């Protein structure tokens, strides 16, 4: 079994790393039941430091908003990309996340010499890349990417709330909170829900079962309805 010291050494910077621009990459929205998964890539400018960069989950919404604007203003370049609900349901959430990350890196105006990605998985890239567990708290460029991705996705969820206010997207941001699960139970799934996620699949199954029951009930007595219409028609025709 490998020692902790050896595992730590595996994450150290490689001595043959190519010099050049360094990009940080992170995502937001792997766990929610609705909406796209969003990824961001950021190349910071060492001559224009940004104070307060940290894992987006450790920041308040107001702090994230302020840092979001500073990152866009001071970074050398930034890119935000996403994978749609359809792509999540087709490829699974992990592959969709990797797809969004790759799109974010490819969208950078400047090409980095190396990419640092939060987590333990790497998207397919044409540049040197390294995965760093808890990188959003350890690497400033990844922290910046996590903030951009989080703020961008939160804003998308606020737009979804305007379109579908019954689900409360502005509050829970698509996560499976009791409020969201109750809304799924009451209203079924909307077009922005991830159908491959089990709570959404269960809601769709309930809706389908309810529709089938209504259709069966209506089709059970078509003759009675037809006879009523016939009788009314005859009465009207016989009237003076």
């Amino acid at each position: 079994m490998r020692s902790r010291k050896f595992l730590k050494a595996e994450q150290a910077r490689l001595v043959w790393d190519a010099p050049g621009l360094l990009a940080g990459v992170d995502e937001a929205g792997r766990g929610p039941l609705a909406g796209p998964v969003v990824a961001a890539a950021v190349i910071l400018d060492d001559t224009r430091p940004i104070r307060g960069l940290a894992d987006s989950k450790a920041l308040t919404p107001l702090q994230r908003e302020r840092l979001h604007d500073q990152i866009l203003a001071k970074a050398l370049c930034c890119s935000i990309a996403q994978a749609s609900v359809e792509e999540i349901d087709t490829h699974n959430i992990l592959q969709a996340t990797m797809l969004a990350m790759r799109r974010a890196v490819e969208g950078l105006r400047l090409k980095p010499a190396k990419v640092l990605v939060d987590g333990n998985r790497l998207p397919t890239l044409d540049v040197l890349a390294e995965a760093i567990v808890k990188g959003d708290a350890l690497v400033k460029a990844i922290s910046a990417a996590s903030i951009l991705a989080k703020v961008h996705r939160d804003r998308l969820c606020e737009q979804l709330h305007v379109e579908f206010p019954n689900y409360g997207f502005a509050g829970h941001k698509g996560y499976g909170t009791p409020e969201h699960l109750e809304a799924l139970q009451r209203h079924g799934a909307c077009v922005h829900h991830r159908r491959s996620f089990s709570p959404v699949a269960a809601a769709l199954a309930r809706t389908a079962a309810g529709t089938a029951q209504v259709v069966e009930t209506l089709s059970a007595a078509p003759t009675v309805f037809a006879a009523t219409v016939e009788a009314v028609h005859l009465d009207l025709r016989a009237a003076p």
Side-chain angles (χ1 to χ4, degrees), residues 127-204:
V127 297
L128 184 66
E130 180 180 355
I132 301 181
V133 176
K134 297 183 179 179
D136 49 5
L138 301 173
V139 180
K140 296 299 183 184
I142 298 180
S143 299
S146 75
I147 292 168
L148 290 191
K150 173 63 174 171
V151 171
H152 183 82
R153 191 177 189 283
D154 284 356
R155 291 177 178 178
L156 287 177
C157 287
E158 290 168 2
Q159 294 174 15
L160 296 187
H161 181 80
V162 174
E163 186 179 359
F164 293 95
N166 290 333
Y167 295 96
F169 288 124
H172 53 64
K173 303 300 187 294
Y175 284 89
T177 63
E179 175 194 5
H180 193 183
L181 295 177
E182 182 182 352
L184 273 174
Q185 177 77 23
R186 187 184 306 117
H187 306 292
C190 75
V191 295
H192 299 292
H193 279 100
R194 301 172 180 178
R195 282 151 170 71
S196 56
F197 281 42
S198 57
V200 180
L204 290 169

Side-chain angles (χ1 to χ4, degrees), residues 1-106:
M1 184 174 183
R2 296 179 178 177
S3 67
R4 291 185 178 180
K5 182 177 179 181
F6 183 81
L7 289 174
K8 185 177 180 180
E10 286 183 326
Q11 291 188 3
R13 182 176 291 277
L14 302 176
V15 296
W16 56 84
D17 278 1
L21 298 175
L22 184 70
V25 177
D26 201 1
E27 54 76 25
R30 285 183 64 172
L33 307 179
V37 59
V38 176
V42 178
I43 299 178
L44 294 175
D45 186 346
D46 293 337
T47 67
R48 306 181 71 189
I50 302 172
R51 294 175 59 87
L53 289 176
D55 174 9
S56 63
K57 296 184 291 295
L59 300 170
T60 66
L62 181 58
Q63 289 173 325
R64 287 196 295 265
E65 288 286 346
R66 289 175 175 172
L67 287 167
H68 170 274
D69 294 344
Q70 290 188 54
I71 294 165
L72 293 181
K74 293 183 176 182
L76 285 178
C77 62
C78 308
S79 172
I80 300 174
Q82 63 186 48
S84 67
V85 170
E86 291 76 13
E87 289 171 323
I88 292 171
D89 289 336
T90 300
H91 303 295
N92 75 46
I93 184 60
L94 175 60
Q95 296 305 318
T97 300
M98 296 297 105
L99 178 60
M101 287 182 169
R102 177 167 61 82
R103 287 170 175 167
V105 174
E106 292 175 347

